[in-house]
Amino acid sequence: MKNKLILLFTAIILTGLIAACGTDEASGDGDGETYTVATDSNFQPFEYKNPDTGEMEGFDIELIEAIAEESGFNVEFETMEFDGLLASMRTSKNDIGIAGISITEERKEFIDFSDKYYDSGLILAVPVDSDIESIDDVDGLKVGARQGSTSNDYLKDNTDAEVEAYPEIVTAYMDLERGRLDAVLYDLPNVQYYISENASDKLKTVGDVMEGQPYGIALPKGSDLVDPVNEGLAAIKENGTYAEIYEKWFGTQPPETE
């Protein structure tokens, strides 16, 4: 009987210790609902998985975490390809999507967006010794873009280029460096970041910034989270948190229009 009591007491202690050691992978203050956030794993400096820690980092990551904290909910991240991210908004598989998603009239037909949080545009990247000077020079040439992106749509709608669509834009940049492409068209901040960090002696940007579409946080059509997300975004812009995050990742204060 004594041994049974000892075993029972030990089991109770172990159960308590296991419960105490459990971890909550969601970001937030621990209170409120937890929502899944679909995002990209390699769209620097907006979101990427740190190879050393395995954690998601970037401007978008800190932005949605700050909005969640302000609005009283938690977030869990699920990484996927960009096409899959948009599909997950269509089907309500995920509650929120953030990955430098341009707000377009076409996308607004099947998903909802928050207020804009970043003004972007498309820019052309070419080898440093290229004769290409603008988007007008790419007809008949091989130009890379990302699957499902506005850059892919722009090339198909406005040029006669031979468009190569990639699941991961980094692969397009690498193919451009290797001479397999003549140019890459993609979002300005990502192009600039990649060249600055990886290919300043190999690639350059040319021509004007095109489209100029703002980024928004995506949500399934009719989502109840549109208002809380917008209220949280407005609050962090008002209290200075947005500016702090912006300066951390872009090295400057956000434009007044932000």
Side-chain angles (χ1 to χ4, degrees):
M1 181 66 178
K2 183 178 179 181
N3 288 339
K4 288 182 178 180
L5 287 173
I6 291 173
L7 289 172
L8 178 61
F9 184 69
T10 302
I12 292 171
I13 291 175
L14 288 174
T15 300
L17 287 172
I18 291 170
C21 292
T23 57
D24 182 3
E25 296 181 357
S27 297
D29 60 10
D31 298 324
E33 294 289 334
T34 297
Y35 299 108
T36 58
V37 178
T39 189
D40 191 0
S41 62
N42 198 2
F43 182 54
Q44 296 173 320
F46 288 88
E47 49 266 318
Y48 63 97
K49 185 170 287 188
N50 185 311
D52 297 323
T53 66
E55 298 294 323
M56 291 300 298
E57 298 180 0
F59 175 74
D60 279 351
I61 302 303
E62 293 194 22
L63 180 75
I64 194 62
E65 288 177 336
I67 289 172
E69 182 175 355
E70 189 68 38
S71 297
F73 60 84
N74 304 302
V75 292
E76 289 181 337
F77 297 103
E78 182 178 347
T79 59
M80 59 190 68
E81 292 181 2
F82 193 77
D83 272 352
L85 189 157
L86 295 178
S88 80
M89 294 296 100
R90 276 183 182 265
T91 61
S92 300
K93 178 179 180 293
N94 294 99
D95 303 301
I96 300 169
I98 189 166
I101 305 170
S102 298
I103 301 172
T104 68
E105 292 304 315
E106 181 182 358
R107 288 173 179 169
K108 285 165 69 174
E109 292 179 5
F110 61 87
I111 59 178
D112 284 338
F113 280 99
S114 70
D115 296 332
K116 72 169 186 174
Y117 69 86
Y118 185 90
D119 284 314
S120 185
L122 306 177
I123 195 70
L124 203 61
V126 299
V128 291
D129 59 353
S130 174
D131 293 330
I132 297 172
E133 296 181 352
S134 74
I135 196 70
D136 297 329
D137 300 326
V138 301
D139 289 353
L141 302 181
K142 275 192 173 183
V143 183
R146 189 167 190 186
Q147 288 179 359
S149 69
T150 52
S151 57
N152 190 47
D153 294 339
Y154 186 92
L155 287 168
K156 290 183 176 180
D157 293 342
N158 297 280
T159 76
D160 290 322
E162 183 180 339
V163 182
E164 297 283 342
Y166 292 78
E168 298 290 341
I169 193 62
V170 171
T171 310
Y173 295 143
M174 294 173 67
D175 276 358
L176 181 60
E177 292 179 63
R178 294 166 180 156
R180 296 172 182 168
L181 295 172
D182 297 299
V184 168
L185 183 70
Y186 201 49
D187 294 29
L188 173 67
N190 186 253
V191 173
Q192 290 178 326
Y193 186 89
Y194 182 86
I195 292 175
S196 172
E197 295 294 316
N198 304 287
S200 58
D201 59 338
K202 298 177 182 178
L203 304 179
K204 64 181 180 180
T205 59
V206 295
D208 297 328
V209 178
M210 293 159 278
E211 293 290 275
Q213 294 161 328
Y215 291 166
I217 298 163
L219 304 111
K221 202 70 176 173
S223 172
D224 293 334
L225 286 174
V226 174
D227 286 342
V229 167
N230 279 335
E231 290 165 5
L233 178 58
I236 65 171
K237 285 187 175 183
E238 180 67 25
N239 66 25
T241 302
Y242 176 89
E244 291 176 7
I245 298 171
Y246 192 102
E247 185 169 18
K248 173 181 176 179
W249 290 101
F250 301 110
T252 183
Q253 284 287 299
E256 291 296 327
T257 54
E258 290 288 348

